[in-house]
C-alpha cells in the first residue's frame, strides 16, 4: 500500500510548520523532499515514521518497515563500525549478515575500518557507516540529508547503491543538492 498524506498540518506552539500537505508516494523510486532550512522536512519525516503526530489530516500506508539515516548519525559509541551495522539487522551473528555488512562498508569506501569505533572516525566516515547500516536492512529507505559532510567522490560511490535500492523499494531523500535529484531520477516533493 502506498504512503498517502491527506491534508497534513503540523504546528509547534503557534508556528505553522506543515500546512495542508497532501501527497501520495510511489511504491518505489526516489522522492526528494526539498525546501529551505527550517521548512519542516525533518518534521515530515518524523510524522511518516510515526515518531511525531500531525495535528490534523490523515496518513495511511506508513505501517511499513523503514530503514533510516537520521539527520544525526546515531551510532552506538561503544560498538565498532561493523557492529553498528550488524546491530540493527535481525541476526547480528549470522554469517550472511556479516558478509553483507563487510561488503557495504567496502562499497561506501570504508574497507579496513570494520573494527574502528565511532570516535575514531571523521564526520564523513561516521556518516558513511550510518548509510551502510541503513542499506543493510530491508524496507522503505529514509535518508535525512545523508550526504552532509560527505565529499563528492564518496557521494558518487553511494548514489548507485541508493539507485539500486530504489528499483525495489521507495527511497525518501531529504536533500538540498540538485545533483542528487538528477543522479537518482528523483521526483521532487517541495516543501
Ligand atoms: N520539537 C519541536 N518543538 C518546537 N519547534 C520545533 C520542533 N521540531 C521542529 N521545530 C521547528 O519546526 C520548524 C521545522 O523544523 P524541521 O522539520 O527540523 O526543518 P528542516 O528539517 O526542514 O530544516 C523549525 O522552525 C523548527 O525550529
Ligand atoms: Mg532537517
Amino acid at each position: 500500500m502506498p504512503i498517502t498524506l491527506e491534508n497534513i498540518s503540523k504546528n509547534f506552539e503557534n508556528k505553522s510548520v506543515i500546512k495542508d500537505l497532501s501527497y501520495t508516494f510511489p511504491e518505489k523510486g526516489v522522492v526528494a523532499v526539498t525546501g529551505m532550512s527550517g521548512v519542516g522536512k525533518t518534521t515530515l519525516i518524523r510524522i511518516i515514521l510515526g515518531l511525531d503526530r500531525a495535528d490534523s489530516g490523515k496518513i495511511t500506508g506508513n505501517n511499513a518497515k523503514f530503514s533510516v539515516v537520521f539527520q544525526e548519525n546515531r551510532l552506538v559509541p561503544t560498538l565498532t563500525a561493523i557492529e553498528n551495522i550488524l546491530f540493527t539487522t535481525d541476526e547480528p551473528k549470522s554469517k550472511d549478515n556479516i558478509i553483507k555488512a563487510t561488503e557495504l562498508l567496502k562499497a561506501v569506501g570504508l574497507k579496513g575500518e570494520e573494527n574502528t569505533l565511532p570516535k575514531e572516525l571523521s564526520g564523513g566516515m561516521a556518516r558513511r557507516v550510518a548509510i551502510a547500516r541503513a542499506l543493510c536492512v530491508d524496507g522503505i529507505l529514509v535518508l535525512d540529508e545523508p550526504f552532509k559532510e560527505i565529499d563528492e567522490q564518496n557521494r558518487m560511490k553511494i548514489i548507485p547503491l541508493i539507485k539500486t535500492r530504489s528499483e525495489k523499494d521507495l527511497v525518501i531523500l531529504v536533500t538540498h543538492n540538485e545533483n542528487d535529484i538528477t543522479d537518482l531520477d528523483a521526483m521532487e516533493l517541495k516543501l
Side-chain angles (χ1 to χ4, degrees):
M1 198 166 78
I3 298 173
T4 302
L5 314 172
E6 284 175 68
N7 309 105
I8 295 285
S9 294
K10 176 76 181 172
N11 305 309
F12 285 113
E13 282 116 44
N14 291 326
K15 190 177 165 195
S16 164
V17 175
I18 296 169
K19 201 173 173 191
D20 203 26
L21 176 69
S22 295
Y23 189 78
T24 299
F25 287 86
E27 301 263 13
K28 52 189 179 177
V30 181
V31 174
V33 179
T34 62
M36 288 190 312
S37 189
V39 81
K41 303 180 297 296
T42 297
T43 302
L44 177 64
I45 294 293
R46 289 180 56 81
I47 291 170
I48 292 169
L49 293 172
L51 299 172
D52 224 330
R53 281 178 76 103
D55 298 323
S56 59
K58 194 173 155 194
I59 171 162
T60 50
N62 64 335
N63 183 11
K65 194 172 176 220
F66 288 97
S67 173
V68 188
V69 173
F70 288 93
Q71 204 162 329
E72 327 78 48
N73 293 326
R74 303 197 182 184
L75 298 179
V76 182
T78 53
L79 298 182
T80 64
I82 194 153
E83 286 168 347
N84 262 285
I85 297 173
L86 289 165
F87 184 62
T88 58
T89 64
D90 49 358
E91 273 183 86
K93 291 201 160 74
S94 109
K95 207 168 187 171
D96 285 351
N97 282 339
I98 293 169
I99 291 169
K100 193 175 173 191
T102 307
E103 281 173 357
L104 277 164
L105 272 176
K106 189 174 160 199
V108 300
L110 292 174
K111 186 178 187 314
E113 302 294 345
E114 289 80 2
N115 301 318
T116 309
L117 286 167
K119 67 165 191 272
E120 296 161 341
L121 297 168
S122 72
M125 290 163 92
R127 194 69 178 151
R128 284 182 276 144
V129 174
I131 293 169
R133 179 177 61 183
L135 287 166
C136 201
V137 294
D138 292 330
I140 297 169
L141 183 64
V142 176
L143 307 166
D144 196 345
E145 302 193 26
F147 300 127
K148 72 172 182 194
E149 295 193 80
I150 293 184
D151 56 52
E152 181 58 16
Q153 197 183 342
N154 282 310
R155 191 186 75 91
M156 288 312 291
K157 288 189 185 124
I158 295 161
I159 287 282
L161 305 174
I162 298 174
K163 184 91 180 112
T164 302
R165 175 67 167 253
S166 74
E167 285 159 15
K168 69 178 179 74
D169 287 312
L170 171 63
V171 178
I172 303 175
L173 168 77
V174 176
T175 182
H176 290 285
N177 187 349
E178 282 289 333
N179 293 337
D180 292 347
I181 300 175
T182 18
D183 293 347
L184 291 165
D185 287 323
M187 276 159 275
E188 193 172 356
L189 170 54
K190 226 176 209 150
L191 294 191

